[in-house]
Amino acid sequence: MKLEHFGYNDNIEILRIQHNLLNFEIGRVISEHKERYIVKTEKGEFDAEITGNLRYTANTREDFPAIGDWVAISEYGDDKVLIHSILPRKTIIKRQAVGKHGEKQIIATNIDFAFIVQAIDRDFNINRVERYLTICNASHVKTIIILNKIDLINDEALTNLISQVQERVKQVPIIAISNKSKKGIEKLKEHIVKGKTYCLLGSSGVGKSSLLNNLLGRQLMKTNTISTSTNKGRHITSHRELIVLEDGGIIIDNPGIREVGIADAVGGLEKTFDKIVELSKNCKFKDCTHTIETGCAVVAAVESKKIDKLFYENYLKMKREQEHFESTVAEKRQKDKNFGKMVKQFKNIKKSNRY
Ligand code: GDP
Ligand code: ZN
């Protein structure tokens, strides 16, 4: 398989030249688990590790490879490769790591489009759609909303639902499908462009695996990392986090993509809730929180039903989460700084004791 088949293009080649990486082979990271990676190259799929240099110069999670990355590699042993560097990323989808303050997890990189999958049954939740949109907007990933399981409702209910979504979400294609009746699947396929990378976002049970199987036209085995290394065996089969469709689209399906937090989606919030940003220019106070202030144009618009109350409430909720997130990051930085100071003082004491 050629690199182009799993997403390589001229822009990446230019980056490779700019970064003096022509002496290295190129591959794409298709799996990552605790600093062990699987890299797909034109020759096959390889276990990979990063070089010591890459590890020691790394400051944050973003300095380590992630699923979707293009990496410069060299062969190392029989069925292993070493990752020397990561080519600059076009997009990064992040989320706040659960339980760890201020640390962000990278879900995937170099994604062109995200399918935001929602089932139209009782799990349907437009706030969640806005949440995913915000994350994608922050990382400049384009979005397509997929309403799944439309076999469960009649046409009238579907039309209602679509206009409800359209009311809140502007300028994002909405495609209604059923994995069961296969309605809408062909239409969705028309949106999939050769050489572009896609991912599926959505809670468990909305139908992501079923959709993947339908796009693929066959059942995808639900298996984990079973390395079937033969003697020379460079092949790791049964492991699929990067899937190449027949029509040339590439799908990254990462088990880590489930419930997502808001992370540092600053620009994302503003784009998703641009109506509110626009209105806020007319608020009386520059630092208006759009809650209790007099002369708040946003509250006025909610009261006169110019904007949806639920849309407004979701905005406030996500903004609060973001502020909370930012303050925990700031707190952590302060703690790290204090700790750094302490270490420095300790070293100084040691130094002065020497004399
Ligand atoms: P995932 O967790 O998002 O990957 O969801 P799955 O693809 O595993 O689907 C969850 C459940 O929803 C399974 O029982 C599927 O059979 C069912 N399901 C998926 N798509 C549809 C659909 O279009 N219509 C109906 N009625 N059920 C569906
Ligand atoms: Zn206001």
Side-chain angles (χ1 to χ4, degrees):
M1 214 182 238
K2 283 233 150 53
L3 285 176
E4 283 75 17
H5 288 129
F6 40 101
Y8 201 73
N9 58 41
D10 289 348
N11 294 334
I12 307 165
E13 178 67 11
I14 289 168
L15 291 173
R16 179 184 177 189
I17 295 167
Q18 281 172 347
H19 288 78
N20 285 325
L21 297 171
L22 284 174
N23 291 333
F24 292 97
E25 277 185 63
I26 295 291
R28 192 166 195 190
V29 177
I30 63 167
S31 157
E32 180 261 315
H33 185 69
K34 291 189 176 153
E35 282 192 41
R36 293 213 35 211
Y37 309 91
I38 297 174
V39 171
K40 193 176 174 78
T41 76
E42 293 193 336
K43 294 180 191 158
E45 293 171 7
F46 300 86
D47 278 322
E49 282 172 31
I50 58 174
T51 59
N53 189 40
L54 193 55
R55 170 166 299 111
Y56 293 123
T57 54
N59 287 318
T60 67
R61 172 64 187 88
E62 294 198 14
D63 299 323
F64 288 91
I67 297 182
D69 272 338
W70 292 100
V71 288
I73 53 166
S74 64
E75 293 192 17
Y76 159 67
D78 254 357
D79 50 4
K80 274 200 173 153
V81 298
L82 267 180
I83 299 174
H84 292 260
S85 59
I86 306 163
L87 274 86
R89 294 155 173 153
K90 189 178 170 202
T91 63
I92 307 177
I93 300 187
K94 286 179 256 185
R95 73 166 171 194
Q96 194 176 331
V98 193
K100 280 188 195 160
H101 291 298
E103 189 181 315
K104 276 163 259 158
Q105 264 178 8
I106 297 185
I107 295 174
T109 68
N110 300 319
I111 303 272
D112 298 296
F113 288 89
F115 293 132
I116 299 175
V117 188
Q118 282 273 297
I120 51 75
D121 57 7
R122 64 196 152 75
D123 286 329
F124 181 79
N125 183 332
I126 196 156
N127 287 353
R128 205 179 294 137
V129 173
E130 280 167 353
R131 177 169 294 257
Y132 284 120
L133 275 175
T134 302
I135 286 162
C136 295
N137 286 337
S139 37
H140 306 287
V141 170
K142 294 187 200 107
T143 45
I144 294 171
I145 295 172
I146 296 179
L147 301 177
N148 184 32
K149 308 198 187 181
I150 59 168
D151 54 286
L152 298 176
I153 52 171
N154 62 32
D155 286 352
E156 198 193 334
L158 178 62
T159 312
N160 270 337
L161 201 65
I162 291 176
S163 52
Q164 214 183 311
V165 179
Q166 273 168 338
E167 182 57 37
R168 295 254 305 253
V169 181
K170 311 279 181 202
Q171 288 160 351
V172 179
I174 302 168
I175 300 174
I177 65 157
S178 164
N179 284 307
K180 212 167 177 188
S181 71
K182 311 277 192 286
K183 213 171 165 184
I185 301 282
E186 286 309 313
K187 191 171 165 222
L188 175 59
K189 278 188 181 167
E190 287 166 17
H191 278 81
I192 301 181
V193 181
K194 191 176 171 188
K196 296 281 182 208
T197 305
Y198 298 78
C199 75
L200 301 159
L201 299 178
S203 321
S204 180
V206 296
K208 297 184 296 299
S209 320
S210 314
L211 174 59
L212 203 54
N213 289 334
N214 271 328
L215 291 175
L216 207 60
R218 64 186 155 83
Q219 204 69 12
L220 199 70
M221 279 194 300
K222 261 197 180 168
T223 37
N224 297 320
T225 29
I226 305 158
S227 170
T228 55
S229 321
T230 48
N231 286 342
K232 280 266 159 200
R234 317 188 129 177
H235 301 282
I236 294 136
T237 49
S238 328
H239 190 97
R240 285 280 173 278
E241 292 193 8
L242 185 142
I243 299 140
V244 182
L245 300 177
E246 218 166 66
D247 296 335
I250 300 136
I251 294 189
I252 290 186
D253 182 38
N254 171 350
I257 302 179
R258 285 217 181 105
E259 292 295 316
V260 278
I262 180 72
D264 60 345
V266 183
L269 257 187
E270 281 165 5
K271 188 166 175 210
T272 312
F273 298 95
D274 56 353
K275 265 192 286 187
I276 290 182
V277 174
E278 195 49 43
L279 280 166
S280 68
K281 289 176 189 155
N282 300 323
C283 292
K284 190 171 166 195
F285 302 106
K286 220 176 158 204
D287 57 352
C288 185
T289 63
H290 320 308
T291 49
I292 48 163
E293 292 87 350
T294 50
C296 173
V298 178
V299 171
V302 176
E303 277 166 2
S304 67
K305 300 210 160 55
K306 253 211 290 219
I307 60 170
D308 193 318
K309 188 154 185 271
L310 297 171
F311 176 77
Y312 162 75
E313 283 170 355
N314 196 32
Y315 168 78
L316 287 185
K317 182 159 173 275
M318 287 175 69
K319 197 156 169 51
R320 269 197 303 274
E321 274 179 39
Q322 186 181 68
E323 280 160 6
H324 173 73
F325 174 72
E326 278 165 1
S327 69
T328 50
V329 171
E331 231 169 67
K332 187 174 180 299
R333 284 213 187 104
Q334 191 58 43
K335 266 190 204 154
D336 288 349
K337 219 168 140 188
N338 292 345
F339 182 72
K341 254 191 215 155
M342 206 171 78
V343 171
K344 222 172 167 181
Q345 278 166 357
F346 179 69
K347 279 183 181 160
N348 285 340
I349 292 169
K350 261 179 52 179
K351 238 191 237 163
S352 58
N353 280 349
R354 236 181 276 157
Y355 301 102

